[in-house]
Amino acid sequence: MDDLEAFLAIVEKGSQAAAARHLGRSLQSIGRSLAALEQGMGVELIRRTTRWSNPTETGLAFYRRVKPPFLEIREARLEATDRRDAPSGLLRIGAPTLFAPAYVAPAICDFMERYPQIEVELRASDRQVDLLEEGLDLAVRIRDMADSELKTRRLGSLRVVVFGAPAYFADQGRPGHPDDLTRHQCVLRIADGDAGAWPFRIGSRRRTVRVGGRFRTDSTAAMHAAVARGLGIGRAPLWQIRDLVERGAVEVVLEAFEAARLPVHAVWPPTKILAAKTRLFVDALARRLKREEL
């Protein structure tokens, strides 16, 4: 493992000296590890110069094959070690602005009560930040992650619904089909990318309906308030407006045409070892979200 670790660091850092600094080992130790690995395999993996160490074609192919299982083995070793002790230390978590206080913060409170040696730093933001640059151990993201390089665990999924005030429906009529929305005022949240394109499932196919209206905002709370006042029809995750629905301030429509539920994921960098404290919190959050009606 030490020899493989040295080889991987040389490829990633570009020289034996840089690898030695990164791993906290001596230059001689890094050189011995590389020599032992090459001698054992009978091939040259790294081509050396006075300043740089570049992988050969064979070395690069070997790097690509050995890096994923190396990380898995290292994770397994760390997990086995962590099981001996109660989790402790600082856990840095990122989560969407509204989802953080509603679901992540309660899970954190329960987690900290169970593990008194844990400290937590929660950063609420809707920006898709770089986890390594921000120093986050993990983040909660509400979207599809199929094209992501991050490691992920699905925590659940949530409904996204179309809703409006009873007074608006009494005055303008109640839409019975997604196509009817083209004749209605819709309140748009402009932070949602193409805010005027609302997805639906019509029959067995996903289809987008273009909508528009006189009021647009980047504030989720303002959008909810405008719809509740009867300014138009909105679209939002059900958990965000559940209190408005329960009070009768708004009504959900077009339920038969709702698009697929949005997945909720925990994500962490592929190069970061998932420590016991992180893994245990992800488990706890998954259990809490499973109990919620999202």
Side-chain angles (χ1 to χ4, degrees), residues 49-293:
T49 68
T50 55
R51 297 185 60 185
W52 299 103
S53 300
N54 298 316
T56 62
E57 183 177 351
T58 300
L60 187 57
F62 180 66
Y63 168 84
R64 290 170 177 163
R65 289 294 300 273
V66 80
K67 179 66 180 289
F70 176 85
L71 291 177
E72 292 295 329
I73 293 170
R74 192 170 63 175
E75 278 189 33
R77 290 174 60 179
L78 182 66
E79 181 178 330
T81 301
D82 284 340
R83 285 183 183 274
R84 297 178 309 184
D85 307 305
S88 62
L90 176 61
L91 182 61
R92 295 183 175 90
I93 304 169
T97 303
L98 294 181
F99 199 78
Y103 296 103
V104 181
I108 289 173
C109 292
D110 292 344
F111 189 69
M112 294 179 73
E113 287 179 3
R114 183 173 182 182
Y115 300 108
Q117 297 183 60
I118 286 286
E119 299 178 26
V120 176
E121 180 180 302
L122 175 62
R123 302 183 190 178
S125 173
D126 293 324
R127 295 185 300 112
Q128 298 296 317
V129 299
D130 185 295
L131 272 64
L132 288 175
E133 288 185 2
E134 296 291 326
L136 296 176
D137 296 295
L138 78 151
V140 176
R141 292 190 174 166
I142 305 174
R143 63 183 179 90
D144 290 317
M145 303 294 298
D147 59 345
S148 174
E149 295 181 354
L150 298 170
K151 285 194 173 183
T152 69
R153 174 176 169 184
R154 185 171 176 132
L155 302 175
S157 61
L158 53 86
R159 287 176 63 191
V160 181
V161 300
V162 176
F163 64 104
Y168 176 87
F169 293 141
D171 185 50
Q172 300 295 326
R174 193 181 186 93
H177 190 278
D179 290 337
D180 296 341
L181 293 173
T182 60
R183 299 187 293 274
H184 283 269
Q185 286 291 317
C186 293
V187 179
L188 307 182
R189 184 176 182 272
I190 56 179
D192 291 335
D194 189 356
W198 287 4
F200 293 93
R201 184 166 295 278
I202 301 175
S204 60
R205 304 181 65 180
R206 184 182 187 275
R207 184 155 68 83
T208 298
V209 174
R210 301 297 307 185
V211 299
R214 293 186 298 128
F215 183 59
R216 296 172 294 278
T217 177
D218 64 352
S219 166
T220 300
M223 186 267 284
H224 296 168
V227 175
R229 282 288 303 270
L231 199 59
I233 296 174
R235 181 175 181 271
L238 178 60
W239 67 268
Q240 291 183 358
I241 62 163
R242 181 170 283 112
D243 62 327
L244 296 175
V245 175
E246 292 174 349
R247 297 201 322 258
V250 301
E251 298 173 356
V252 175
V253 297
L254 302 176
E255 292 180 84
F257 302 96
E258 288 177 17
R261 296 167 68 98
L262 274 179
V264 182
H265 288 99
V267 302
W268 59 93
T271 57
K272 194 175 185 66
I273 297 174
L274 193 62
K277 60 184 178 183
T278 310
R279 173 176 42 78
L280 289 170
F281 177 74
V282 171
D283 291 342
L285 183 58
R287 288 193 297 270
R288 170 174 282 273
L289 295 184
K290 188 175 182 179
R291 298 193 301 267
E292 301 287 348
E293 295 182 10

Side-chain angles (χ1 to χ4, degrees), residues 5-16:
E5 184 180 52
F7 166 71
L8 295 172
I10 292 169
V11 175
E12 292 168 358
K13 300 303 177 182
S15 71
Q16 294 185 58

